[in-house]
Amino acid sequence: MEKTRPRRARPSYAGYFRANISDKESITSDNDVQSEIVDGSSSSNIEDVDDAEEALVLLDDDGDLQVSSPVASGAPGPVAGNGGQSRTRNSKRRHSRQNKSFVHDTQGLQTVPQPQRLGQSARNIKAKEHRYRPDSIWSSKSDTLRLSRRPQPFNPPFLVPTASTSDPRIAYRVKKSWMYSVGPGPCWELIEDRGFFKEEYIGTMAGTGRITRPLVYSETSHLLGYCKELLLGQSSRYNVESQPVSCFVGPYGAQDLKEIGQFSSVSTGGSLSVMFNSGGRITAVDWCPTTISASLGGRQYLAVSSTNNAFLGVGTRSHSPAMIQLWSINPARSNEALEVQCEVIMCIDEGAVLQLKWCPLPSHSEGERKLGLLAAITTDGAAHIYVAPMLGDGPLGSHHMRRVHCRPLLTMAFDETTCQALDWANSEVIAIGCSNGFVGVFRVKDAILGIGNAPLTHYFPVHQTSVQSIAWVRAPPGISDGTYDLVGDPTVICTTGSEGSVRVTDIRDCMSRMLFRNREVPHASAFAAFCGSLVATDVDFSVKLFQLQPTALGMGHSVADVGGTALALSVSDIHPYVAIGCADGSCITTNLLRGTRREGVVPFLNHKIFQLDYSPRDGHYRMLDRFLPVENGANEAMVYKESVTRNANNDKVVANTEDRFKQGCLEASGLWHPNVAVTAVAWNSGCGLGCAPFLVSGTASGLVRVDYLEGMWAKGTVPYGSIECIRGEDGQVEEEGGIEADSE
């Protein structure tokens, strides 16, 4: 008799990750932190993973994907019979779902025949089923690059050419394989660069050549006069007074109290994790893009902005001395940890920085001592572009911190409003969201080169109130003949407003279209190139994904439930993982291309990278990490739901929120100390495939954490047997015979 389990009962996910955790490291879970202010993994009414045969065979959500693996004969799996109906769990219920009618009209869509699969009969499932995985808006026809071996941080990656996902069969396999990535970070085998920048195609034959992440603005000798070295006495007015931060770090149960002074760092106990104190509330963080061939010592660079003003008003203008910190990340001398150092302080007079973003393409220059171009919005109500000076020479720790006064290379401002958010479309175009709900688009190339000004090409209303976030949809504009203009600028902008709406606007007609609206301010949004979708924060402590393809515009689903208000988001052009910074002090990552059915073999997992705790009684912080993953929707209980249990007499007993909190049952809430909030997160997308797992997180306490998050496959098995088979490099992709439906 086949072994079954209740529908809502889920297996323990510790089995996915135990193999990668040494005996010396401990894992934090709910059982370990009873009566502590931290949540972990749900453990009630949970069974272990099913039979060993099931652990070795990776099935599709409906059991229709057969993967080559060393499974003994007679192992349970989908078996053809009874008219092609597979004998899997809940097969009757799934069969009824597949025959549901569609809400949207699909008469104008081309019908694609479904291929015959081995051991099953073809199922004519329509393409717009209500369960789906999001897909990329556009894929380059040029061959791309992938990693041939596991990358090592700070070392050049080993790259090999591979087929593009413009082939629908390869795109289907790659997208389906990402479903089995269950680690906190991406699996290196599937990492590829899907970002679109027109500079990659300028000078090449359209559609047949691509120069990935080319160097821009390398010959700009006129920029040298915008930075001036300051003496120690001259920079005193730019200094931010800060007290050392007392924080418990280390494995749970064996933590040590560390005093972290300003510009100092401490290891969190992990091999590739480090934490440092910037000295003030973090408002923005971002990685500096560099080329693989850059002779920068193999380091990675961070721009960090902090302020002691915790309440920055919208629409106000104030000029004050401020600073932007440039940090370098390098492998430790023991090669077992990371070391960080603040090497340059950019002193500015335009006020505290609200948001900053590097030029998305490398713009450094060794001969001119220029690290790159940095765009920032400051409290004077304008957006500025600064020239970031090159950091010091020599090994890490061999020189003192430099203080450099930087004046803006370019200032973009409006008389009637103030700037609130910005985003680069490429190295030439910037979009700025304003406090009056308008959006302005500037073309900045001529101004950076010193041969002209930065014209305002578009200025149009989008929201009724202030723009909270803005993101370009980095995809080439379409042409009427069905092709793409690969040397054209993106034309679609996604924005969120304080009134609660999320809108999409095409600057070719400047007419905004609302994707959705809720009762809470959407604090952040980001465009995910791997999914062709917009990821935005939502009401009720959740983050949602909304598709931007014309045939599924506005369709979406929840991707993560968090314990506090989501304040910051970050996605990558190199992998489909999203990072979420929350008001409860936690940083969470999850896979946007996971499975589409909750009853599938691969669960919906959210990974809590860390959670910062604070005790107002003694002023001490506590950094907790090594959490077990939790399934989406099962990590937090809703605050308005009371727990109902039964006593020995079988009488109902209602436990109120206070009693449950004392028992260690954490409730989703917005009531958290403001010092623990994770206010900024950023994946490393501009430094090559080997640096894609780097994640930086900034908190309101001034603590910044850098993690190198590696991925892993479910049950340790690569789908389709190998990455060569996924990519069709072995020539076996033709066996599937055509395009497969993405719906299960």
Side-chain angles (χ1 to χ4, degrees):
M1 182 176 182
E2 184 180 358
K3 180 180 178 181
T4 60
R5 62 170 181 258
R7 174 183 176 184
R8 305 308 299 175
R10 308 301 301 166
S12 172
Y13 306 125
Y16 283 101
F17 307 94
R18 292 288 184 184
N20 290 347
I21 300 175
S22 62
D23 297 336
K24 298 180 180 179
E25 294 181 348
S26 60
I27 302 177
T28 308
S29 64
D30 273 339
N31 296 332
D32 299 329
V33 289
Q34 292 294 335
S35 72
E36 299 286 351
I37 309 181
V38 58
D39 88 304
S41 170
S42 133
S43 59
S44 60
N45 298 328
I46 293 179
E47 298 180 6
D48 293 332
V49 180
D50 283 344
D51 301 333
E53 292 84 1
E54 182 183 0
L56 292 175
V57 180
L58 299 181
L59 302 178
D60 184 7
D61 291 336
D62 281 335
D64 58 358
L65 174 61
Q66 298 181 1
V67 182
S68 299
S69 58
V71 182
S73 60
V79 180
N82 298 330
Q85 183 178 3
S86 59
R87 296 201 299 265
T88 57
R89 293 191 304 268
N90 303 321
S91 59
K92 181 178 180 180
R93 178 175 53 84
R94 290 173 179 168
H95 181 71
S96 63
R97 285 188 177 183
Q98 294 165 3
N99 295 330
K100 284 188 176 181
S101 60
F102 297 103
V103 178
H104 300 274
D105 184 14
T106 59
Q107 294 180 358
L109 299 179
Q110 182 179 2
T111 303
V112 180
Q114 302 301 313
Q116 181 77 21
R117 289 188 176 184
L118 180 63
Q120 293 188 355
S121 58
R123 298 177 300 170
N124 187 19
I125 302 178
K126 299 180 182 180
K128 286 190 60 178
E129 176 61 75
H130 66 288
R131 294 189 181 273
Y132 57 89
R133 293 187 199 92
D135 199 1
S136 300
I137 293 180
W138 170 84
S139 296
S140 174
K141 294 184 179 180
S142 305
D143 287 346
T144 185
L145 297 175
R146 68 171 180 86
L147 295 169
S148 61
R149 63 180 66 176
R150 179 181 176 183
Q152 299 295 328
F154 312 105
N155 294 327
F158 294 89
L159 304 176
V160 295
T162 187
S164 169
T165 53
S166 59
D167 187 336
R169 297 162 299 181
I170 297 177
Y172 176 82
R173 285 195 171 192
V174 171
K175 184 171 59 174
K176 204 174 195 77
S177 299
W178 270 115
M179 184 183 74
Y180 300 101
S181 178
V182 296
C187 292
W188 63 265
E189 293 91 341
L190 289 178
I191 288 178
E192 62 176 311
D193 192 347
R194 293 195 185 180
F196 167 75
F197 300 98
K198 70 175 186 179
E199 294 84 348
E200 299 177 335
Y201 300 92
I202 295 178
T204 64
M205 297 181 62
T208 61
R210 178 188 181 192
I211 304 175
T212 306
R213 307 272 175 170
L215 183 65
V216 297
Y217 303 125
S218 58
E219 301 296 333
T220 51
S221 58
H222 65 283
L223 302 180
L224 298 177
Y226 288 90
C227 299
K228 179 182 178 181
E229 195 88 16
L230 296 179
L231 300 177
L232 184 60
Q234 296 174 330
S235 61
S236 59
R237 69 190 188 101
Y238 297 97
N239 294 336
V240 178
E241 298 295 333
S242 175
Q243 297 295 328
V245 175
S246 300
C247 183
F248 288 93
V249 296
Y252 181 79
Q255 292 187 315
D256 298 324
L257 182 63
K258 302 288 186 180
E259 292 288 336
I260 310 174
Q262 188 178 18
F263 306 128
S264 61
S265 62
V266 63
S267 175
T268 61
S271 59
L272 291 174
S273 178
V274 68
M275 182 172 59
F276 61 86
N277 181 15
S278 68
R281 175 186 175 89
I282 302 299
T283 56
V285 294
D286 198 15
W287 295 91
C288 177
T290 58
T291 59
I292 299 176
S293 59
S295 57
L296 301 178
R299 304 175 187 172
Q300 300 299 312
Y301 302 95
L302 275 174
V304 179
S305 62
S306 61
T307 179
N308 284 336
N309 185 4
F311 303 97
L312 300 175
V314 176
T316 59
R317 300 177 186 267
S318 62
H319 296 261
S320 60
M323 64 179 182
I324 301 174
Q325 304 170 17
L326 301 182
W327 292 73
S328 63
I329 294 94
N330 210 43
R333 298 173 181 86
S334 61
N335 294 325
E336 295 180 355
L338 301 177
E339 286 188 2
V340 296
Q341 177 175 331
C342 183
E343 300 203 19
V344 175
I345 292 181
M346 297 174 56
C347 303
I348 61 176
D349 298 318
E350 289 73 37
V353 175
L354 302 178
Q355 185 182 9
L356 60 81
K357 287 188 177 181
W358 291 94
C359 175
L361 296 177
S363 54
H364 54 79
S365 176
E366 286 288 334
E368 300 170 6
R369 309 301 300 162
K370 174 171 63 75
L371 185 61
L373 299 177
L374 185 62
I377 292 180
T378 57
T379 53
D380 66 348
H384 310 276
I385 296 180
Y386 296 94
V387 180
M390 185 66 71
L391 308 189
D393 299 323
L396 190 68
S398 62
H399 58 277
H400 297 288
M401 183 170 51
R402 299 170 54 202
R403 290 174 171 82
V404 181
H405 181 266
C406 299
R407 58 189 182 95
L409 168 66
L410 174 64
T411 297
M412 297 162 284
F414 304 92
D415 294 334
E416 69 278 6
T417 185
T418 59
C419 302
Q420 297 295 324
L422 65 84
D423 191 28
W424 296 77
N426 44 47
S427 64
E428 301 179 4
V429 179
I430 290 181
I432 298 176
C434 306
S435 59
N436 62 352
F438 278 63
V439 171
V441 179
F442 290 85
R443 187 169 295 275
V444 300
K445 179 180 179 180
D446 292 344
I448 294 176
L449 294 176
I451 59 176
N453 56 7
L456 177 64
T457 60
H458 300 79
Y459 187 62
F460 51 91
V462 179
H463 294 275
Q464 300 174 356
T465 57
S466 174
V467 176
Q468 287 288 317
S469 64
I470 187 169
W472 282 96
V473 178
R474 292 198 181 110
I479 307 177
S480 58
D481 59 359
T483 60
Y484 294 97
D485 182 9
L486 298 182
V487 294
D489 298 312
T491 61
V492 179
I493 300 175
C494 299
T495 55
T496 62
S498 299
E499 78 277 10
S501 65
V502 177
R503 292 181 174 270
V504 178
T505 307
D506 193 324
I507 61 176
R508 290 175 292 188
D509 59 11
C510 296
M511 297 293 294
S512 65
R513 297 157 179 84
M514 186 165 61
L515 278 182
F516 72 100
R517 186 170 183 173
N518 54 38
R519 303 183 303 275
E520 187 174 293
V521 177
H523 297 280
S525 64
F527 170 70
F530 259 78
C531 306
S533 307
L534 179 71
V535 183
T537 61
D538 195 25
V539 71
D540 294 334
F541 314 106
S542 65
V543 175
K544 289 187 177 180
L545 178 146
F546 294 88
Q547 288 230 55
L548 297 178
Q549 291 89 347
T551 57
L553 183 63
M555 296 180 61
H557 57 272
S558 175
V559 298
D561 294 329
V562 296
T565 304
L567 301 177
L569 294 175
S570 178
V571 295
S572 176
D573 294 334
I574 304 179
H575 57 77
Y577 273 75
V578 59
I580 308 168
C582 308
D584 64 342
S586 61
C587 176
I588 296 173
T589 63
T590 189
N591 184 5
L592 296 176
L593 287 182
R594 60 197 180 192
T596 58
R597 294 186 183 274
R598 291 186 179 273
E599 288 76 18
V601 174
V602 182
F604 296 0
L605 295 182
N606 295 338
H607 298 266
K608 183 177 292 187
I609 308 304
F610 69 86
Q611 183 165 12
L612 185 64
D613 192 12
Y614 178 70
S615 174
R617 180 179 305 174
D618 51 19
H620 292 168
Y621 291 88
R622 181 176 59 170
M623 180 64 69
L624 297 169
D625 50 18
R626 299 181 180 87
F627 289 90
L628 284 175
V630 265
E631 188 173 3
N632 185 35
N635 57 338
E636 252 65 58
M638 300 307 296
V639 69
Y640 53 81
K641 290 185 178 180
E642 295 180 328
S643 176
V644 179
T645 59
R646 294 183 180 274
N647 56 17
N649 298 327
N650 202 26
D651 298 328
K652 290 185 177 180
V653 177
V654 179
N656 56 34
T657 302
E658 181 179 359
D659 294 338
R660 297 183 64 200
F661 184 82
K662 293 179 179 179
Q663 297 172 4
C665 299
L666 201 62
E667 306 290 345
S669 173
L671 302 177
W672 301 94
H673 198 282
N675 290 357
V676 304
V678 178
T679 56
V681 291
W683 287 105
N684 191 342
S685 296
C687 300
L689 304 185
C691 299
F694 272 112
L695 175 67
V696 60
S697 310
T699 67
S701 64
L703 296 176
V704 180
R705 176 164 168 152
V706 179
D707 294 275
Y708 188 84
L709 304 176
E710 296 182 285
M712 62 176 300
W713 296 109
K715 310 299 190 300
T717 304
V718 180
Y720 293 96
S722 66
I723 182 61
E724 290 79 11
C725 188
I726 295 175
R727 283 287 184 177
E729 298 174 5
D730 54 0
Q732 297 182 5
V733 70
E734 300 295 339
E735 294 180 359
E736 296 185 357
I739 304 174
E740 293 178 288
D742 189 39
S743 304
E744 267 74 295

